[in-house]
Amino acid sequence: MPLNATQPRRRVTCRLLPLLGALAILGRPATPAFAQTERSLAGAVLTAADSTPLVGARVRLLEPGQMTSTDLHGRFRFARVPRRVLTLVVERIGIVPDTLTIGPDVTTVTLYVRTRAVMLPPVTSVGQPSARERFEHAAQTSTTTLDASEIAAVPGVAEADVARTVQLLPGTVARHDFTTGLNVRGGETDQNLIRLDGIPVFNPTHLGGLYSTFEPAAVRAVEFITGGFPAGYGGRLSSVLDVTLRDGANDHRLSGGLSLLSARALAEGPLVGGATYLLGGRRTYADKLADNFSDDPFTYYFADGIGKLTVPLGRGGSIAATGYWGRDQLDIPWLEPTEDAAGIDLALHWGNRLAGLTLRLPVGPAVFEQNASVSAFATRQAFEPDVQSFTNTARVWSLQTAVGMSLGPRHLLRLGGGWERYRMVYHIRNDAIEQDVSLLQYEPEVWSGFVDEQWRPADALLIRPGVRVEYVKGAGVTTVAPRLAVKAFLNRDFALTGSAGRYYQAIQSISDPELPINIYEIWIGANAVVPVARSDHLVGGFERWFGPGTSLTIEGYYKTFSGLAIRNLFDDPKLVGDEFEIGDGDAKGFDVLLRRHTGAVRGWIAYSFTRTIRRTASDTFPPGHDRRHTLDVVAEAPGPLGSRLGLHWGYGSPLPYTAIEGAWLHRDYNPVTNSYDDFEDEPIGTRLNRARYPHYSRLDLSLRWELAALGGTLRPFVQVVNLYNRTNVFVYRFDYRSVPPTRSGLSQLPFLPTLGVEFEW
Amino acid sequence: MVGVLRCAALAIATLAPVACDLADTVIPETRPLIVVHAVMRPDLPQQYVLVEQTLAGVLPPDREVQPVPPGELQLPVTAARVRVTNLDLSGGPCGDTVEFDAVPLSQPRIPGVYWAPLGCPTTRPGDRLALVVEAPGLGTVTGTTRVPELAGVSLTTPGGTFGPGDTVPFNRDADVLSLAVGARFHRILQLVAYRTGRLPPGLPFAQPDLEEALVLFADSTSVALPGTILHAGGRGTGGPAFRGGSYYALSTAVADANYYDFVRTSSNTITGRGFANHLSGGIGVFGTVVATSYVLKVTADADDPREGTYRLTGILPNAGAPGADIDLFVSLYFAPQTTSGTVSALLEGFWVHRSLETGWWDRQAVTGQRADGRFRGDTLELTIQTAELAMRARPSVLPLTLRGVWSSSGRFSVDVYEPALLGELRIATLAADRQ
């Protein structure tokens, strides 16, 4: 566990002060007054129906009178526009002209426009966010979309983070400050389908879960579906987190950032034939600094790289290659060297690697999509030299085909199929005597096909039926998963929503979910012993819009789980099939999302009520993420000194934990002397998760500036986590040696200021 | 500047781990449970069971760690009734059920330690034993175990094949020790090695301070053990398990699943979950181990010119009487990963009218000694600990210290010191010749 959670807070605070001063000096040559009068504005124009880039659309800013047109990827850019509220108009033959009000601090924008083929009444469209487009034209429930600017605006530790922002959306529980794991509507963290440009990612975290693997600056949009997801998605029970990288820009750019955590850079630009590239990387540098300036080695780092190459094809088609590489490395001196022993090191490394190709080709009225990818996660933990090692690899080869088409003005049909071949290996080896302790392999293969139709039988009614059929080779299981989403408009701004569906999951994690921190998931796959897990969702609610930029969504849900593989802590390494026990459960609750999408003050208030139960053969218990009440307030607003202010306040009701009722002396038996030489105090747990930690709350603030300097743009920022320094309990420790017994513990993040700077040329 | 950057580096390094300790809060006492440690050893003449209670914030436990037995338990349960029944054998010489006694005739009384009569219970390979421990006010603990069979052990090195109890020459740098056992009704093969440690003054009754050298589990019935293996299991230091110039006891044991679970699992500090407990009504172990032992005489390749065998000769003066001849062969080996010049030595020869040879500590024979020391540059200091030497005069250990300055010629003199009332006293000077 990389966390050394005993670090006193006061040390960190005082050590940050010199660096705060240093960065204040760095920002001095800039000219804030000048820089704050102008900004750049970039964006993309996509079709609302299927997000196809619109080529050659005319994009106008009314008051400055600037105009440009979209490129092959639907993108546009204005270099210098006034920093005030502007009106942007998009026009092209074949689309409904659209206008959008742009706030003074918005620098990127994505417009979803309707094509003429939809045959809506001829109206003069008003500027509206993509969420409004979804409201009007998509039956799908439980969906939230975030763009890069919204992710960047949420204050956090050191730097913006995709998963941490998603944790603040309704229906999601984050168990503590040290995890980016998502527990969605009573689901476990392995039940989320997390994709990068359509490629599944096994373990999307760094630093034991403290950071996610996605570089926010490279992200175009994040779509998060917390339930009732359509038939095109399969393989997970609880949610879909679809992260889309943006294409490279049409001019050469270099951007990056420097935070207390890492240094990162992102290069992008055009290539021949209209192709573009985007290439980025980041690395933490605490280890390097510590090497040079400290006698105490700090042996952890993570690094990752991301790339995307987009090549336009004729008639609006494209082929895009996406790649990601990440590595976390941690070396721990397990047994310190002595005069007569060189010592034993625990060397850990883990990371994801993935690569994929996506072909997108308009064929007549249809759009054909073909995706081929490989995604792998690998870890090795070794006691070195030559003592014992643990390796775990998870790999999936995937081919996915889909065709989307408009069948007249009221039908959108999407159908497709896919093939996924998994291979997970779990290997413990005694290197000293070259013998295997445990070797487990799982190789499920999933063939799938789906039909997903959105039908508008009347202007006020959207129905989206679908079905997904999967065959899990290895387990010999065929699953049929019907899906249905319905939206009924009571008036232009108010709609009743509902969805239902059955979901299957062929791979599961057997990491112990009750541990405070799991560095990564340990995946196993369905076979003759491991079940295919199942979940049924029933979602109902409404969505109400107040004007063009504010929406309120309330959804209630009921969800069942069965065939869950729950870690068996007592599994025998020699036996196959006892690594888990089968469990089931259910979850019910409701989510509220009040969101302001446009204007000078943007953000959301999210509230969730959840009640979750798990059942095994021997117990019925609340899982560790059974948080009843979660409230998050996220806002972005004009701040002092020309800054943009980001704010997050979160509240969570008590989470379950397993109390300790005593300790025993676990003695070491010595067969040579037939005596017990030594012992360790070992805690005795009570019934699982019957106790609860105290309430949780935290206030975070950030201030961001944008300065023209050094021929480019600098964006320094300051963030403060846990502004009122609330002590939120992370874990308890119990001491039954003392009389009377006592309880102490560790807190989550205390008051923690951080700062950094981003740049762009 | 360096200071600022160092601060920054450490601040960054602590970003992730930052957290605060919570203040102590007094919580209610809990009800103590019974803890039982009962590892049956059918290969040994007498069985015993430890009965104690959990830490519940009621009684302050003694923090001293000492091997039990002969040491004492921290929170013993003294009024328990302990019984073991062989479920597959009735009418045996020990009766159907064997009562364990807290006040045995054959052992010193230790509170919480319950002894079976010698030779009881009668067991055969494959038999199932049932344990019942009743403790007034605490409850009843039950458990079962199955007796493994260790039918035969074959230990092979390049020097040959050896039987149990043999002394096995073993070059740690070159040899691989191949071990194969014939076993049934077992779950795991355990190898444990101990090096002769410091001999305590209370010999022959005190337990020698054995140094754990190796703890290894193998999920098979055969193991190839390289001499260079590291000691990373158990309470290992991470250093080499074996070093030249030393004797080791190697225990080869087969054990049931209860014992294996007892040693391989433990509860997580935070969740209190993870220990595979096979007892009902309490916590601990009721398992069975059957073991056999070898003695390893470990040598090593000579990698340093100071390593090798030296012959020490000379006369030990004896006041008012003729001096005693000394003719001793000392084979010196550096510890494999030493950075401080640690050496160990095998001794063989004559010391004051009697033969002397280092060997494994044997309580019955009151023999066994070791010689450890250090080269500081070319200055050698070697301490010989031997019960045998001391037994000549009185029943205690007398360490002798040899000091000399090594010469590349292979000839140098060595002074011999023994403890005195104030420091130490030089008692002889010997000649050392490289062999």
Side-chain angles (χ1 to χ4, degrees):
Chain A
M1 189 173 78
L3 294 182
N4 171 12
T6 58
Q7 192 64 43
R9 165 178 57 83
R10 191 157 46 87
R11 277 184 60 191
V12 175
T13 308
C14 77
R15 289 178 193 281
L16 289 176
L17 293 177
L19 209 60
L20 279 166
L23 282 186
I25 293 168
L26 187 65
R28 197 170 295 159
T31 315
F34 168 76
Q36 288 166 20
T37 61
E38 291 187 337
R39 57 174 158 162
S40 64
L41 178 63
V45 181
L46 311 172
T47 60
D50 56 10
S51 298
T52 302
L54 268 178
V55 184
R58 190 168 59 174
V59 184
R60 288 188 295 135
L61 285 169
L62 290 184
E63 281 192 15
Q66 292 173 266
M67 187 177 73
T68 185
S69 59
T70 56
D71 61 16
L72 290 171
H73 312 288
R75 290 173 311 202
F76 65 91
R77 178 179 169 83
F78 296 101
R80 286 189 163 186
V81 297
R83 182 176 288 279
R84 61 172 189 269
V85 176
L86 301 171
T87 302
L88 186 142
V89 179
V90 181
E91 301 159 305
R92 202 196 76 167
I93 294 172
I95 69 167
V96 177
D98 206 349
T99 60
L100 186 66
T101 301
I102 307 291
D105 297 297
V106 173
T107 55
T108 60
V109 62
T110 301
L111 291 97
Y112 293 87
V113 295
R114 285 168 289 171
T115 60
R116 291 280 186 193
V118 176
M119 298 295 288
L120 290 173
V123 295
T124 302
S125 152
V126 295
Q128 54 189 14
S130 58
R132 177 73 194 196
E133 289 288 335
R134 291 191 177 281
F135 170 68
E136 293 180 1
H137 300 289
Q140 182 56 48
T141 63
S142 314
T143 305
T144 309
T145 302
L146 298 170
D147 62 29
S149 67
E150 288 171 303
I151 295 166
V154 176
V157 180
E159 57 188 49
D161 190 276
V162 171
R164 288 199 172 276
T165 306
V166 171
Q167 284 179 334
L168 310 180
L169 296 174
T172 308
V173 169
R175 289 180 59 177
H176 50 73
D177 294 344
F178 304 117
T179 180
T180 53
L182 305 172
N183 292 103
V184 181
R185 290 185 173 175
E188 303 297 333
T189 53
D190 66 324
Q191 294 172 0
N192 309 306
L193 178 62
I194 298 174
R195 309 197 312 177
L196 182 68
D197 276 354
I199 309 167
V201 187
F202 282 103
N203 283 299
T205 61
H206 288 301
L207 202 57
L210 195 58
Y211 293 91
S212 62
T213 53
F214 307 112
E215 157 65 287
V219 170
R220 185 178 76 190
V222 174
E223 185 174 76
F224 186 48
I225 312 175
T226 55
F229 29 98
Y233 293 110
R236 298 294 189 280
L237 300 185
S238 286
S239 81
V240 174
L241 179 62
D242 227 340
V243 179
T244 309
L245 294 183
R246 59 188 176 83
D247 296 337
N250 282 331
D251 52 343
H252 290 287
R253 292 183 210 169
L254 177 65
S255 59
L258 195 67
S259 74
L260 291 180
L261 177 74
S262 69
R264 55 192 169 85
L266 191 67
E268 55 190 307
L271 297 170
V272 293
T276 60
Y277 73 94
L278 182 143
L279 197 61
R282 64 175 169 169
R283 190 191 191 283
T284 59
Y285 41 62
D287 56 330
K288 296 295 182 189
L289 289 176
D291 281 350
N292 287 319
F293 301 108
S294 171
D295 296 330
D296 301 321
F298 183 73
T299 56
Y300 172 80
Y301 76 88
F302 76 71
D304 57 21
I306 201 163
K308 186 170 186 177
L309 175 67
T310 309
V311 179
L313 302 176
R315 294 183 300 177
S318 67
I319 185 165
T322 300
Y324 173 85
W325 169 90
R327 181 182 177 93
D328 287 53
Q329 175 85 41
L330 175 64
D331 294 308
I332 301 172
W334 192 257
L335 295 170
E336 297 281 358
T338 64
E339 288 184 341
D340 296 325
I344 300 288
D345 289 336
L346 172 57
L348 293 90
H349 65 77
W350 65 95
N352 296 282
R353 294 177 187 187
L354 51 95
L357 276 175
T358 302
L359 172 68
R360 190 185 187 91
L361 210 57
V363 181
V367 176
F368 171 79
E369 275 186 29
Q370 176 67 54
N371 180 280
S373 67
V374 57
S375 176
F377 170 80
T379 181
R380 183 168 193 272
Q381 303 176 13
F383 292 95
E384 294 177 335
D386 292 338
V387 178
Q388 183 154 306
S389 61
F390 161 74
T391 56
N392 175 216
T393 57
R395 179 178 291 114
V396 58
W397 295 87
S398 174
L399 286 173
Q400 304 291 335
T401 302
V403 177
M405 65 192 80
S406 175
L407 302 177
R410 294 187 180 274
H411 288 274
L412 287 172
L413 177 65
R414 185 173 160 82
L415 46 88
W419 167 81
E420 291 174 328
R421 179 177 170 75
Y422 292 89
R423 177 174 164 78
M424 277 87 82
V425 181
Y426 184 81
H427 187 193
I428 303 174
R429 183 167 174 80
N430 187 327
D431 297 316
I433 56 173
E434 299 183 346
Q435 287 190 3
D436 290 341
V437 177
S438 183
L439 176 60
L440 303 170
Q441 297 186 55
Y442 305 87
E443 296 182 303
E445 199 173 314
V446 182
W447 294 85
S448 61
F450 70 89
V451 178
D452 182 18
E453 149 89 348
Q454 181 167 290
W455 176 35
R456 188 155 212 159
D459 287 346
L461 184 61
L462 281 166
I463 301 175
R464 188 173 186 176
V467 66
R468 185 179 185 88
V469 179
E470 292 182 345
Y471 171 67
V472 184
K473 189 179 172 184
V477 173
T478 300
T479 62
V480 179
R483 316 279 167 92
L484 176 68
V486 178
K487 182 177 281 181
F489 291 89
L490 301 185
N491 60 45
R492 184 177 174 278
D493 293 321
F494 186 47
L496 300 178
T497 58
S499 62
R502 172 161 289 185
Y503 303 88
Y504 290 96
Q505 183 164 336
I507 65 168
Q508 300 190 59
S509 169
I510 55 167
S511 297
D512 181 4
E514 307 312 327
L515 288 178
I517 285 183
N518 280 303
I519 296 178
Y520 41 75
E521 307 286 4
I522 297 173
W523 295 96
I524 62 174
N527 56 24
V529 178
V530 182
V532 176
R534 193 184 88 181
S535 179
D536 291 334
H537 298 190
L538 182 63
V539 182
F542 68 84
E543 184 169 351
R544 171 84 163 89
W545 279 76
F546 305 92
T550 304
S551 63
L552 172 66
T553 306
I554 297 180
E555 288 182 357
Y557 62 88
Y558 178 70
K559 190 171 170 183
T560 63
F561 303 89
S562 61
L564 300 179
I566 297 176
R567 174 69 178 269
N568 174 17
L569 299 177
F570 314 118
D571 69 318
D572 188 325
K574 196 174 185 177
L575 301 178
V576 175
D578 72 338
E579 299 79 38
F580 57 89
E581 54 182 327
I582 305 296
D584 58 29
D586 57 59
K588 53 195 166 193
F590 64 93
D591 300 331
V592 179
L593 177 63
L594 176 63
R595 188 174 181 186
R596 183 162 175 78
H597 304 265
T598 57
V601 178
R602 298 191 306 166
W604 66 83
I605 299 172
Y607 169 77
S608 298
F609 170 81
T610 311
R611 190 182 184 93
T612 307
I613 285 293
R614 291 279 183 274
R615 285 179 288 268
T616 62
S618 57
D619 200 4
T620 298
F621 58 93
H625 53 81
D626 178 40
R627 171 168 276 160
R628 299 291 162 78
H629 306 280
T630 306
L631 178 62
D632 284 293
V633 179
V634 177
E636 182 192 5
L641 305 174
S643 66
R644 287 293 290 175
L645 169 72
L647 176 147
H648 163 239
W649 180 76
Y651 164 80
S653 61
L655 281 171
Y657 75 97
T658 303
I660 304 298
E661 64 175 350
W664 66 293
L665 307 184
H666 188 161
R667 297 181 179 275
D668 295 340
Y669 177 71
N670 180 341
V672 171
T673 59
N674 187 31
S675 63
Y676 296 86
D677 288 349
D678 202 351
F679 59 78
E680 293 283 342
D681 285 12
E682 204 162 294
I684 303 167
T686 56
R687 295 186 69 192
L688 183 60
N689 288 339
R690 295 318 199 275
R692 298 244 169 195
Y693 289 122
H695 298 266
Y696 169 96
S697 80
R698 201 180 93 185
L699 174 64
D700 305 335
L701 285 180
S702 69
L703 294 174
R704 295 175 172 273
W705 291 267
E706 185 168 299
L707 314 170
L710 307 174
T713 304
L714 286 181
R715 298 188 192 93
F717 61 86
V718 177
Q719 307 188 90
V720 181
V721 169
N722 199 356
L723 188 66
Y724 52 80
N725 196 26
R726 177 178 169 87
T727 301
N728 294 306
V729 176
F730 175 44
V731 291
Y732 281 137
R733 290 185 300 221
F734 294 81
D735 182 3
Y736 283 93
R737 274 194 171 272
S738 63
V739 178
T742 59
R743 185 188 67 205
S744 60
L746 295 173
S747 76
Q748 301 184 44
L749 288 174
F751 172 82
L752 181 63
T754 60
L755 73 172
V757 63
E758 295 170 348
F759 60 85
E760 182 178 343
W761 283 289
Chain B
M1 185 61 184
V2 169
V4 170
L5 287 172
R6 181 173 175 157
C7 281
L10 293 175
I12 293 161
T14 53
L15 259 182
V18 66
C20 295
D21 283 319
L22 304 177
D24 284 355
T25 302
V26 172
I27 57 174
E29 301 166 352
T30 56
R31 182 175 171 272
L33 304 172
I34 304 173
V35 178
V36 173
H37 286 84
V39 176
M40 299 291 102
R41 287 292 301 270
D43 56 308
L44 297 178
Q46 192 167 22
Q47 313 301 319
Y48 68 91
V49 171
L50 309 184
V51 184
E52 53 195 322
Q53 59 180 285
T54 56
L55 307 174
V58 180
L59 298 170
D62 186 350
R63 286 181 180 275
E64 188 179 348
V65 178
Q66 50 186 338
V68 183
E72 298 196 344
L73 297 172
Q74 277 71 18
L75 292 169
V77 174
T78 55
R81 184 182 180 199
V82 178
R83 288 166 289 160
V84 170
T85 304
N86 188 330
L87 300 175
D88 297 314
L89 179 68
S90 61
C94 298
D96 290 347
T97 297
V98 173
E99 293 270 354
F100 283 54
D101 192 351
V103 190
L105 296 174
S106 56
Q107 298 285 346
R109 182 178 185 278
I110 305 169
V113 182
Y114 297 81
W115 299 87
L118 283 170
C120 292
T122 305
T123 61
R124 302 164 303 180
D127 281 354
R128 289 171 300 127
L129 307 179
L131 170 76
V132 178
V133 176
E134 294 171 301
L138 292 173
T140 300
V141 174
T142 60
T144 59
T145 180
R146 193 172 201 193
V147 178
E149 178 179 22
L150 182 59
V153 182
S154 166
L155 190 155
T156 306
T157 70
T161 300
F162 300 87
D166 287 349
T167 296
V168 181
F170 186 53
N171 181 333
R172 69 163 306 277
D173 291 327
D175 293 348
V176 173
L177 188 152
S178 299
L179 196 74
V181 302
R184 291 192 301 163
F185 313 117
H186 73 295
R187 171 61 190 87
I188 198 73
L189 171 65
Q190 182 184 21
L191 302 181
V192 178
Y194 278 81
R195 180 174 181 263
T196 306
R198 180 181 58 83
L199 298 178
L203 282 174
F205 302 110
Q207 190 88 317
D209 180 19
L210 305 180
E211 289 178 6
E212 184 184 286
L214 181 71
V215 176
L216 189 71
F217 291 92
D219 224 338
S220 66
T221 53
S222 62
V223 174
L225 202 65
T228 53
I229 193 169
L230 301 179
H231 178 30
R235 284 171 283 135
T237 61
F242 302 113
R243 67 195 214 195
S246 301
Y247 281 80
Y248 293 81
L250 175 68
S251 167
T252 306
V254 290
D256 72 335
N258 290 359
Y259 175 80
Y260 184 43
D261 284 346
F262 168 72
V263 294
R264 79 180 175 89
T265 65
S266 59
S267 289
N268 180 275
T269 311
I270 303 299
T271 65
R273 302 165 68 230
F275 174 65
N277 183 32
H278 294 283
L279 298 179
S280 297
I283 302 170
V285 61
F286 180 46
T288 310
V289 171
V290 182
T292 188
S293 292
Y294 295 83
V295 172
L296 302 182
K297 179 184 181 181
V298 179
T299 59
D301 291 342
D303 304 318
D304 187 284
R306 292 167 292 180
E307 289 183 303
T309 300
Y310 299 84
R311 184 176 186 182
L312 304 186
T313 54
I315 303 293
L316 187 68
N318 196 359
D325 288 334
I326 293 174
D327 188 357
L328 190 65
F329 290 86
V330 178
S331 298
L332 286 173
Y333 301 91
F334 276 101
Q337 295 179 349
T338 186
T339 57
S340 60
T342 300
V343 292
S344 296
L346 298 176
L347 309 182
E348 186 176 358
F350 285 91
W351 185 281
V352 192
H353 306 307
R354 60 184 299 149
S355 64
L356 170 66
E357 185 174 1
T358 47
W360 173 250
W361 156 243
D362 183 333
R363 184 200 293 255
Q364 307 305 321
V366 197
T367 60
Q369 46 273 325
R370 75 174 192 180
D372 288 335
R374 178 168 296 187
F375 266 112
R376 289 186 171 85
D378 286 338
T379 301
L380 170 67
E381 180 173 302
L382 188 71
T383 300
I384 303 173
Q385 279 203 324
T386 168
E388 196 173 52
L389 283 173
M391 283 297 289
R392 189 167 64 93
R394 57 185 187 276
S396 64
V397 174
L398 180 64
L400 296 172
T401 302
L402 278 55
R403 291 196 186 94
V405 178
W406 178 83
S407 167
S408 58
S409 69
R411 292 177 62 90
F412 59 102
S413 61
V414 171
D415 295 329
V416 181
Y417 297 83
E418 69 174 15
L421 193 59
L422 297 172
E424 57 184 13
L425 179 68
R426 189 176 70 182
I427 58 172
T429 298
L430 308 175
D433 286 292
R434 179 71 173 265
Q435 299 300 295

